[in-house]
Amino acid sequence: MTTRSAPAIVYPETDGMPLPDGEYQAPIYRRIVRDLDDHFSEVPGVNVNGDTFIYYVEGNPRRSFSPDCYVVFGLTEAALHSLSLQGNNTYLLWEVGKAPDFILEIGSPSTAATDMGRKRELYAELGVAEYWRFDATGGEFYGEPLVGERLVDGEYRRLEMRREDDGRVWTHSEALSLDLWWTDGDLRFWDPAAESWLLRREEERARAEEERGGRLAAQARAEEERSGRLAAESRAEEEETARLAAEARMAELEAELRRLCGE
């Protein structure tokens, strides 16, 4: 009698369905994931990703969720290897060994209710340390621009949000060691340690180009000053040559005059 082995369980990278409100959400989450990925790229044991399936029950590919952005710290080499084997497109929680430390969802018409309900409850159950919700509209989907919550004794407690006079809203993320700012419908990150904003790639390129332009301008000024010095030195040499020639000519005339006078 032949014994058939059980088929391998497949944990798909996609459910074949388009991203809900993808045209609205995709540019936002890609920008946020890229900002954080660039910032933590040199920190060991960190994984930054978004819009990928996280499977949290081994053997059940139907138990999954897909955050817009998540960050995991303190990963072992084995966990990082597991993620690399999965192409960073799926996240098997039992292999990685821990849930994300930080999750951020982006408000949209079809996802807001789930983000504030079922997903919030699931993230608390799985032990996600911080759960954030960002509403680019300023409150149309979540009722407020930015919400940060920290897990305490298995329940989420809101972080105190600070509102500036110009309407910007912000507070500190202990998980990221960064301040998150809602500003004019955008989400920006402030690094208190470096006392600077996390620059985006296009801003980095613009700054690099500006610095390059400054260096080229400084080089041009230096070359101009060098050319001016050389021109001045050349003029001085010409004047000295002319002076010496005039003195020599004068000496010749005086000598000729003395000769004519019989001296």
Side-chain angles (χ1 to χ4, degrees):
M1 180 176 180
T2 303
T3 302
R4 294 184 179 180
S5 59
I9 297 175
V10 176
Y11 300 94
E13 297 180 1
T14 176
D15 58 6
M17 301 296 291
L19 180 69
D21 307 312
E23 291 187 3
Y24 172 77
Q25 288 178 300
I28 302 175
Y29 87 73
R30 287 172 183 158
R31 186 167 62 241
I32 293 171
V33 170
R34 188 171 62 236
D35 290 349
L36 292 176
D37 190 41
D38 288 346
H39 177 66
F40 290 112
S41 61
E42 301 299 322
V43 180
V46 179
N47 179 256
V48 180
N49 214 330
D51 190 38
T52 59
F53 279 104
I54 297 179
Y55 293 91
Y56 57 96
V57 177
E58 186 174 5
N60 188 347
R62 299 176 65 180
R63 303 296 294 276
S64 68
F65 59 94
S66 180
D68 291 323
C69 173
Y70 61 89
V71 184
V72 198
F73 296 95
L75 293 176
T76 64
E77 288 297 326
L80 291 170
H81 181 64
S82 172
L83 288 171
S84 68
L85 289 177
Q86 299 159 31
N88 257 358
N89 295 320
T90 57
Y91 185 113
L92 307 181
L93 194 147
W94 56 93
E95 289 190 2
V96 176
K98 62 177 295 188
D101 296 282
F102 171 96
I103 284 181
L104 180 139
E105 298 287 3
I106 299 166
S108 70
S110 64
T111 64
T114 302
D115 293 343
M116 293 188 291
R118 183 168 56 86
K119 273 191 172 182
R120 183 174 181 271
E121 295 172 358
L122 176 61
Y123 296 162
E125 291 175 10
L126 296 177
V128 176
E130 284 187 5
Y131 177 38
W132 291 72
R133 296 182 295 279
F134 166 68
D135 188 337
T137 69
E140 180 180 339
F141 304 123
Y142 294 142
E144 48 196 321
L146 184 65
V147 181
E149 297 182 303
R150 184 155 188 85
L151 195 64
V152 179
D153 297 329
E155 296 182 355
Y156 281 123
R157 295 184 182 176
R158 290 174 60 97
L159 301 174
E160 181 183 356
M161 307 303 297
R162 307 177 186 182
R163 183 178 292 273
E164 300 296 316
D165 292 339
D166 58 7
R168 294 182 299 165
V169 178
W170 69 280
T171 197
H172 184 71
S173 165
E174 185 177 328
L176 300 181
S177 297
L178 297 171
D179 297 339
L180 277 68
W181 286 72
W182 183 98
T183 173
D184 294 329
D186 197 6
L187 182 67
R188 299 304 303 260
F189 299 93
W190 171 265
D191 185 350
E195 297 185 342
S196 63
W197 296 101
L198 268 59
L199 294 182
R200 290 172 175 159
R201 292 179 186 178
E202 58 270 23
E203 294 170 335
E204 290 279 9
R205 287 194 294 269
R207 185 174 70 174
E209 187 62 29
E210 183 179 349
E211 291 174 351
R212 178 176 177 274
R215 289 194 301 270
L216 291 176
Q219 291 171 3
R221 288 194 298 271
E223 184 61 29
E224 185 178 349
E225 291 172 357
R226 178 176 176 275
S227 298
R229 287 195 302 271
L230 291 175
E233 291 172 359
S234 178
R235 287 194 300 272
E237 290 178 359
E238 291 175 358
E239 291 172 356
E240 178 66 10
T241 299
R243 183 184 66 79
L244 293 175
E247 290 177 353
R249 178 60 179 160
M250 182 63 70
E252 291 175 358
L253 292 175
E254 290 177 350
E256 179 67 15
L257 182 60
R258 286 195 296 272
R259 185 184 67 77
L260 293 174
C261 292
E263 296 182 3

